[in-house]
């Protein structure tokens, strides 16, 4: 439509507000309450404009333009009104620019400057209120608050935490947390969304106070190094130090995080400047690690690797790659393993989290990746979440699901043994006994097929194996499922009917499904559920594994697996080996033609078939199951080389320790859960002698005789594109904004948000006849509790990064075992006391958290805390196909201990 702004004609899209239309055409109408991600509020009146034919001034942020509308943005009347607005906002007297953390970035200060207001025309004499500094990461100063409502809207509508609101009326209006609690005593999770949208200094980052103001920092675009959502962050840096983080606002609607961050992405980067950072190589001498030069360390490492290879053969060497490092570095390590060392025994942490997902989905569909996108949660009619405490493990995406449910009316089914946060807003919570997932999932399908709610036309056209599959359903009657799982038959039936009746139903699942000795069967059963209802290949549907670490998907794509090169090209194919050998200048005859060992198999084989290990960015001494046994086996290795940013528990066992640069100290690409490839640019210089992993790998390769081994990310990525059809069209230039999702076969291709729209890579999808398999270890009289392990919102993986954050460690300084109130009463336990938790594999001492979040007879322990390591207790029984351990269920015992006896 055509409109006039300040007498100039513009053509603008329908549906814009006057504020958006003006700004889109370079006319800056000020606004203090409007924000691109919170929308119109109409509270502050700073955006008042004149509209021809309308008597009163109108709020531009709430005024939708119409054909022929004539708008004036800077008439004397408008400027006078705008000046009065600013005078009134300044009248409270709380805006002392000299001491304000927001000085230079305060939108009220900027507007006052533009209007020529040097000091308020009047003061209200309002009583001063001391700032609220009760929370770990945020200072709330109500004297500076202008009641614009941005923080309330963003907390309630974007991140869906619903902590902030207004209380009181008129001059008594104020911002409150919950029912008036200090922020530190409220339900605030410290995501920092409120600080990011605050236009003044009423909400600021506590740890940045006195260190930097916004105008003193530089913004560097990086990918968050934590979970698999792959949030884009503007890292604020001053003097080579991280100050704070902001979610990227440019094009936020198309980004995986839509401008939002969780507490880890906001406050969890202190580790970058930790005094614990490795800054020099180390060599073991006389049983102790001593500082060494790079020349000493790399020469020793290369000589020992060559010696072991010569003595025992290439397959005696194993390599642990990492989901914490970039695609380029995973590729470089894969190239070293296969092209230089000659071993296919390379693996990474996917083996411990989603190996069963990859194995099952590859078998069933022909591809082991997430089929749809995170953003599509709002396009579904029904969402089914199982095995994922999403608001803790993938917090930004968990907020998207809550928004879809609470604001869009999407129906939610949650299957989880614990009453997680998503269960609180779910339409149906299926609370099953831990380890009985197969019965739950196949029971849902029994009801769907029995009631004729499946899609026969989709099954005939795109699936195979129906007859055997149908026979397998007979066992899973609602009554049988109830006896196995504890889920009432009517709840199971209601959930099945809700899922099957949806026009579009999406499955999102996590390690609660995957980390079992029958994890592959769990995922096969999930795939069945989507296939028989036709919920795949369309928007708002799909089978979507949520990756636990930032680059689990990318490390898998790059061939950091024992059976495939990049793009899942099999190592057993002579033509594939020949193509990679030609690109690398290697001898294809010297390359291993059989799949190597998995990570779990390598640890078990230390001292026998595995003699040397090269480990980058992994910490098996906290992450592996049955840690007592894992430690025993690792100590049998003849050589362990660890490359990391800290002297982790695993590095303390190493013969050679090499200091890495962290992700913010180098450039590279990362692939998130939804197959989105994004670039993270160098923002900081590494400390001391720490170096990027790709440079270290190249130097080691040269010492092992490799010629022209690429060291830089651009060189490595060029090879990746040339050798990987699904990445061929993804260039650094094309992913500078919102990234691209593979497959992307050429540079004109837009990427692929949704997989399997017309066909499956294997032809027809395979329906699986899945028999019920109980957990490998059930409770008994000696060990009566079911132990479950997992993550917390505030911490990550083995804690090496998150536990070095002041805010995160301040929020959760130690691990705790969750115990149901009934069990606590029976054992005489009180909150916070130290108890002994034992299994047949080990014992830890840990504090008690009494909560109904767990069921009676069940306990939960987070695995981030080395001093109370949950994995000293867990079971190392493996899924027969995926070789993933049974992390999620084993039999345990709780014992009270006398004061002074505690180990931790």
């Amino acid at each position: 439509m055509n409109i006039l702004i300040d007498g100039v004609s513009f053509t603008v899209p329908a549906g814009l507000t006057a504020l958006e239309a003006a700004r889109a055409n370079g006319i800056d109408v000020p606004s203090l309450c409007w924000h691109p991600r919170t929308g119109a509020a109409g509270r502050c009146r700073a955006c008042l404009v004149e509209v021809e034919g309308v008597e009163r001034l109108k709020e531009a942020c709430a005024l939708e333009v119409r054909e022929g509308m004539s708008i004036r943005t800077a008439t004397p009347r408008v400027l006078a009104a705008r000046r009065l607005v600013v005078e009134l906002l300044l009248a409270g007297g709380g805006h002392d620019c000299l001491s304000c953390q927001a000085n230079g970035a305060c939108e009220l200060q900027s507007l006052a400057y533009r209007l020529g207001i040097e000091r308020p025309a009047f003061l209200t004499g309002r009583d001063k209120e001391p700032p609220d500094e009760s929370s770990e990461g945020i200072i709330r100063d109500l004297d500076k608050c202008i009641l614009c409502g941005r923080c309330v809207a963003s907390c309630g509508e974007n991140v869906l935490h619903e902590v902030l609101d207004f209380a009181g009326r008129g001059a008594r209006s104020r911002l409150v947390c919950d029912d008036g609690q200090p922020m530190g005593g409220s339900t605030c999770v410290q995501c920092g969304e409120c600080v990011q949208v605050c236009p003044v200094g009423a909400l600021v980052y506590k740890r940045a106070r006195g260190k930097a103001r916004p105008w003193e920092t530089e913004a560097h675009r990086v990918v968050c190094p934590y979970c698999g959502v792959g949030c884009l962050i503007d890292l604020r840096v001053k003097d080579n130090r991280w100050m704070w983080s902001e979610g990227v606002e440019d094009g936020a609607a198309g980004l995986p995080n839509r401008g939002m961050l969780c507490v880890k992405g906001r406050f969890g980067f202190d580790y970058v400047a930790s005094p614990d950072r490795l800054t020099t190589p180390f060599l073991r001498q006389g049983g102790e690690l001593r500082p060494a030069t790079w020349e000493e360390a790399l020469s020793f490492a290369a000589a020992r690797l060559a010696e072991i290879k010569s003595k025992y053969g290439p397959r005696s060497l194993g390599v642990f790659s990492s989901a914490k490092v970039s695609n380029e570095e995973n590729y470089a390590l894969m190239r070293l393993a296969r092209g230089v060392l000659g071993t296919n025994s390379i693996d990474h942490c996917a083996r411990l989290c989603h190996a069963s997902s990859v194995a099952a989905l590859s078998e069933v569909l022909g591809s082991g990746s997430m089929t749809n996108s995170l953003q599509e949660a709002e396009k579904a009619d029904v969402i089914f979440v199982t095995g994922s405490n999403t608001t803790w493990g993938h917090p930004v995406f968990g907020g998207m699901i809550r928004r879809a449910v609470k604001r869009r009316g999407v129906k939610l089914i949650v299957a989880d043994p614990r009453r997680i946060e998503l269960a609180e807003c779910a339409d149906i919570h299926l609370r099953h006994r831990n380890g009985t997932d197969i019965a739950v999932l196949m029971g849902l399908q029994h009801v769907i097929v029995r009631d004729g709610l499946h899609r026969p036309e989709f099954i005939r056209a795109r699936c195979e194996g129906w007859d055997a599959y149908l026979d397998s359903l007979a066992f899973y009657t609602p009554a049988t499922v109830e006896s196995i799982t504890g889920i009432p038959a009517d709840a199971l039936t209601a959930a099945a009917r809700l899922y099957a009746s949806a026009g579009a139903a999406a499955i999102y699942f996590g390690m609660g499904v995957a980390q079992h000795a029958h994890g592959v069967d769990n995922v096969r059963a999930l795939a069945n559920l989507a296939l028989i209802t036709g919920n795949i290949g369309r928007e708002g549907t799909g089978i979507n594994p949520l990756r636990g670490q930032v680059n689990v998907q990318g490390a898998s794509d790059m061939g950091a697996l024992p059976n495939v090169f990049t793009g899942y090209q099999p190592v057993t194919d002579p033509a594939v080996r020949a193509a990679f050998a030609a690109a690398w200048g290697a001898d294809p005859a010297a390359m291993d033609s059989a799949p190597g060992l998995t990570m779990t198999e390598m640890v078990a084989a230390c001292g026998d078939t595995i003699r040397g290990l090269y480990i980058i960015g992994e910490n098996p001494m906290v992450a592996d199951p049955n840690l007592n046994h894992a430690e025993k086996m690792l100590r049998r290795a003849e050589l362990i080389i660890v490359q990391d940013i800290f002297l982790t528990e695993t590095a303390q066992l190493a013969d050679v320790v090499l200091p890495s640069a962290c992700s913010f100290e180098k450039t590279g690409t990362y692939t998130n859960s939804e197959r989105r490839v994004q670039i993270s640019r160098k923002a900081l210089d590494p400390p001391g002698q720490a170096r990027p992993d790709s440079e270290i790998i190249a130097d080691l390769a040269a010492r092992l005789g490799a010629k022209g081994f690429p060291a830089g990310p651009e060189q490595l990525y060029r090879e990746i594109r040339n050798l990987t059809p699904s990445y061929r069209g993804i260039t650094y230039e094309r992913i500078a904004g919102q990234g691209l999702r593979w497959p992307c076969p050429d540079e004109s291709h837009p990427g692929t948000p949704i997989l399997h729209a017309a066909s499956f890579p294997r032809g027809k999808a395979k329906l699986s006849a899945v028999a019920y398999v109980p957990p490998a270890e059930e409770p008994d009289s000696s060990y009566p509790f079911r132990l479950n392990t997992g993550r917390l919102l505030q911490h990550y993986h083995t804690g090496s990064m998150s536990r070095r954050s002041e805010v995160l460690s301040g929020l959760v300084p130690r691990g705790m075992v969750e115990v149901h109130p009934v069990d606590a009463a029976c054992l005489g336990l009180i909150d916070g006391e130290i108890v002994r938790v034992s299994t047949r594999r080990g014992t830890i001492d840990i504090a008690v958290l009494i909560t109904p979040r767990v069921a009676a007879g069940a306990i939960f322990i987070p695995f981030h805390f080395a001093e109370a390591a949950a994995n000293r207790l867990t079971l190392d029984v493996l899924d027969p196909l995926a070789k993933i351990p049974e992390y999620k269920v084993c039999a345990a015992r709780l014992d009270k201990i006398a004061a002074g006896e505690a180990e931790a």
Side-chain angles (χ1 to χ4, degrees):
M1 58 183 62
N2 297 308
I3 63 172
L4 291 172
I5 306 178
D6 295 333
V8 180
S9 179
F10 296 100
T11 301
V12 301
L16 291 187
T17 64
L19 179 69
E20 292 167 329
R23 290 188 174 182
N25 288 285
I27 300 167
D28 187 15
V29 176
S31 175
L32 298 171
C33 64
W34 180 88
H35 187 275
R37 293 191 296 112
T38 59
R43 299 179 64 91
C44 72
R45 307 294 192 271
C47 67
L48 289 172
V49 294
E50 282 189 14
V51 180
E52 187 176 291
V54 178
E55 183 176 347
R56 75 175 186 87
L57 299 179
K58 302 292 290 185
E59 297 90 350
C61 72
L63 175 66
E64 188 172 329
V65 296
R66 301 188 308 273
E67 177 67 35
M69 181 179 280
S70 178
I71 301 164
R72 296 283 179 175
T73 69
T75 66
R77 184 184 175 201
V78 165
L79 294 177
R82 202 169 283 164
R83 185 181 184 91
L84 178 61
V85 165
V86 175
E87 295 278 14
L88 289 170
L89 291 174
L90 292 171
H95 294 277
D96 181 358
C97 295
L98 291 178
S99 62
C100 183
Q101 180 65 28
N103 185 15
C106 172
E107 295 176 41
L108 179 62
Q109 179 192 59
S110 177
L111 185 51
Y113 177 80
R114 286 165 55 188
L115 293 169
I117 300 172
E118 296 186 5
R119 57 183 59 84
F122 41 84
L123 296 173
T124 63
R126 186 174 69 188
D127 290 340
K128 295 290 184 183
E129 188 168 345
D132 175 9
E133 300 192 24
S134 60
S135 74
E136 289 291 333
I138 298 169
I139 298 173
R140 187 172 59 122
D141 188 345
L142 294 183
D143 279 345
K144 291 184 171 64
C145 180
I146 61 173
L147 301 175
C148 67
R150 281 191 192 177
C151 61
V152 175
S154 204
C155 184
E157 297 297 327
N158 289 350
V159 293
L160 268 290
H161 295 310
E162 300 174 314
V163 177
L164 298 174
D165 208 341
F166 295 113
R169 297 177 64 84
R172 298 180 184 272
S173 294
R174 61 197 299 272
L175 180 70
V176 297
C177 297
D178 295 337
D179 57 353
Q181 300 294 320
M183 183 173 272
S186 73
T187 56
C188 174
V189 296
Q190 300 286 285
C191 72
E193 174 78 359
C194 57
V195 183
Q196 180 159 329
V197 300
C198 180
V200 292
L203 292 156
V204 297
Y205 301 119
K206 190 174 186 177
R207 308 289 169 173
R209 181 174 53 181
K211 296 179 180 177
R213 291 166 292 188
W215 55 271
E216 298 176 301
T217 66
E218 293 181 347
H220 296 266
R221 187 71 46 89
V222 299
V223 176
C224 180
Y226 285 114
C227 80
V229 173
C231 295
L232 276 185
I233 296 176
D234 278 335
L235 206 71
R236 288 288 180 171
V237 173
K238 178 186 177 184
D239 299 333
N240 200 44
R241 292 182 71 89
W242 167 73
M243 294 289 118
W244 66 83
S245 307
E246 295 170 354
V248 171
E249 297 280 5
D250 299 338
L255 300 179
N257 53 315
R258 295 182 173 175
M260 298 173 283
L261 297 175
C262 76
V263 64
K264 293 189 289 290
R266 188 76 65 180
F267 296 115
F269 302 143
D270 307 36
Y271 71 85
V272 175
S274 168
D276 297 336
R277 283 289 301 273
L278 287 170
T279 58
T280 187
F282 284 86
L283 281 176
R284 188 168 297 280
Q285 189 173 54
E288 301 292 330
L289 288 171
R290 66 161 179 86
T293 65
W294 273 107
E295 180 62 34
E296 285 180 293
L298 288 174
S299 295
F300 177 84
R304 290 289 288 124
L305 287 169
E307 180 184 349
I308 290 171
K309 178 180 176 180
S310 174
K311 186 175 181 180
Y312 302 107
R315 293 184 182 181
S316 64
L317 297 173
V319 176
F320 287 14
S321 199
S322 177
K324 297 184 185 72
V325 304
S326 69
N327 288 326
E328 292 81 354
E329 289 162 330
N330 275 287
Y331 171 80
L333 193 57
M334 185 275 292
R335 192 188 198 277
L336 177 82
R338 293 193 161 106
V340 180
L341 298 178
T343 180
N344 281 328
S345 291
I346 176 171
D347 206 359
H348 72 289
C349 68
R351 187 64 48 196
L352 305 180
C353 61
H354 270 292
S356 47
S357 303
V358 174
L361 294 180
S362 296
E363 171 191 284
V364 170
L365 307 177
S367 168
S369 305
M370 190 170 177
T371 63
N372 290 61
S373 70
L374 301 173
Q375 292 75 19
E376 287 175 52
E378 294 189 355
K379 303 295 181 66
D381 299 309
V382 173
I383 294 172
F384 179 34
V385 174
T386 182
S388 168
N389 187 356
T390 322
T391 58
W392 284 14
H394 301 82
V396 169
F397 180 55
M400 292 181 191
I401 292 177
R402 294 208 299 184
R403 177 180 172 82
V405 172
K406 292 190 172 186
R407 302 294 181 261
R408 304 281 186 178
V410 175
K411 301 296 183 183
L412 176 63
I413 303 167
V414 170
D416 201 289
R418 297 165 73 219
R419 190 160 182 81
I420 59 174
E421 288 177 356
L422 284 183
E424 300 291 339
C425 65
D427 295 272
I428 300 174
H429 177 202
L430 303 176
R431 192 172 192 176
H432 58 291
R433 294 188 186 98
N434 197 17
T436 63
D437 307 82
I438 291 173
V440 176
L441 299 170
M442 296 301 285
L444 291 169
Q445 295 162 60
H446 176 103
V447 174
I448 290 168
V449 174
R450 181 198 69 187
D451 293 353
L453 300 174
H454 56 300
R455 304 286 194 274
E457 67 287 352
F458 183 90
I459 295 167
R460 282 193 297 270
R462 299 195 59 185
C463 302
E464 63 184 17
W466 171 257
D467 291 339
Y469 162 75
L470 183 61
D471 289 343
S472 73
L473 291 183
F475 172 78
Y476 297 102
T477 65
T480 299
V481 171
E482 181 171 351
S483 69
I484 293 171
T485 68
I487 295 172
D490 58 349
L492 183 81
T493 299
R497 290 172 175 169
L498 179 60
Y499 177 86
S501 63
I507 296 170
Y508 294 96
F509 70 97
M511 289 173 280
V513 167
Q515 288 180 327
H516 287 276
H518 51 265
V520 170
D521 279 341
N522 285 345
V523 181
R524 285 170 175 151
L526 268 177
N528 286 343
L529 183 60
L531 289 168
I532 66 167
T533 55
N535 278 302
I536 193 164
R538 295 182 288 118
E539 189 175 53
T541 68
I543 310 165
N544 302 297
L546 298 172
R547 308 301 190 188
Q549 296 194 47
V550 60
N551 208 32
V552 170
Q553 184 64 59
S556 300
D557 297 344
M558 293 302 106
L561 295 168
N563 60 330
V564 291
F565 289 93
T566 65
Y568 308 97
Q569 300 170 81
V571 299
T572 54
D573 187 331
V576 171
R577 290 199 306 276
F580 278 84
W584 297 344
D587 178 5
M591 295 173 71
D592 197 348
S593 60
L597 298 181
T598 67
M599 184 182 289
T600 45
E601 290 172 324
M602 282 187 265
V603 172
C606 279
D608 295 322
T609 54
I610 292 293
R611 300 289 178 149
L613 285 175
Y614 182 16
I615 300 172
I616 292 183
E618 292 291 338
N619 191 11
M621 275 302 300
V622 177
D624 273 26
N626 192 358
L627 279 178
N628 292 326
H629 180 258
E631 180 177 0
K632 175 184 174 182
M633 299 311 295
L634 286 169
R635 288 186 182 278
R636 294 180 61 195
E638 294 182 21
L639 173 70
I640 295 180
I641 303 166
V642 171
Q643 195 164 300
D644 214 314
I645 63 174
F646 295 113
L647 191 68
T648 63
E649 289 77 10
T650 303
Q652 291 169 34
L653 300 180
D655 302 286
V656 185
V657 179
L658 305 174
S660 297
C662 78
S663 66
F664 300 148
E665 295 160 355
K666 54 196 176 185
T667 293
T669 59
Y670 297 81
T671 308
N672 77 345
S673 281
E674 59 183 8
R675 297 170 284 106
R676 187 192 298 252
V677 185
Q678 301 178 110
I679 191 163
S680 186
R681 296 285 186 181
K682 180 180 177 180
L684 300 163
D685 293 324
Q689 298 178 49
R691 301 172 63 196
D693 292 286
S694 60
E695 292 182 11
I696 302 171
I697 294 166
D699 271 5
L700 187 60
R703 284 170 168 79
L704 288 164
K707 304 294 185 184
F709 197 100
E714 291 87 356
Q715 296 170 284
L716 289 162
Y717 193 74
R718 192 177 305 119
E719 283 195 11
I720 292 168
R721 290 182 60 217
N722 288 337
L723 291 165
T724 315
S726 57
Y727 275 67
R728 194 155 291 150
I730 302 175
T731 66
Y732 277 14
E733 293 73 25
R734 294 190 73 199
I735 58 175
Q738 299 180 352
L740 285 170
R741 280 166 280 194
W742 64 259
C744 183
D746 59 62
E747 292 186 37
S748 64
H749 194 281
T752 310
I754 300 172
L755 295 180
H756 317 315
S759 62
F760 298 106
R762 71 183 304 276
K764 286 191 172 185
K766 178 183 177 182
L767 291 170
S768 305
V770 181
Y772 177 67
V773 181
E777 185 177 82
E778 296 270 23
D780 56 25
S781 57
S782 298
Y783 296 92
F785 288 94
R786 284 178 183 261
L787 169 63
N788 186 7
T789 66
R791 300 186 176 203
L792 300 178
L793 165 65
Q794 298 84 1
H795 286 293
Y796 173 75
H797 206 48
T798 63
S800 61
M801 299 188 322
S802 63
R803 296 193 69 195
R804 288 177 168 88
S805 160
E806 287 186 49
V807 171
L808 301 181
S809 287
L811 289 168
V812 182
R814 61 178 181 171
M816 303 186 85
V817 54
E818 293 183 2
V819 182
H820 190 274
V822 169
D823 295 323
C826 289
L827 294 170
L829 304 178
I830 60 173
D831 253 336
E833 78 168 291
I834 304 298
V835 296
R836 184 153 293 156
V837 185
S838 305
T839 68
R840 291 179 174 87
R841 289 151 298 282
T843 296
I844 64 171
D845 293 345
I846 190 170
V848 169
L849 175 63
I850 300 173
T851 173
R853 190 158 52 220
V854 290
I859 57 176
F860 173 85
I861 300 176
F863 68 90
H864 313 292
F865 302 90
E867 68 275 17
N871 286 331
R872 293 212 175 269
L873 310 174
T874 49
L875 195 60
D876 53 0
V877 174
L878 304 180
D879 181 284
L881 180 61
K883 309 301 182 184
I884 193 170
E886 179 94 292
Y887 280 114
K888 291 303 180 185
V889 58
C890 66
R893 186 176 71 243
L894 286 178
D895 294 298
K896 287 180 70 71
I897 54 180
E901 287 186 25
E903 295 174 5

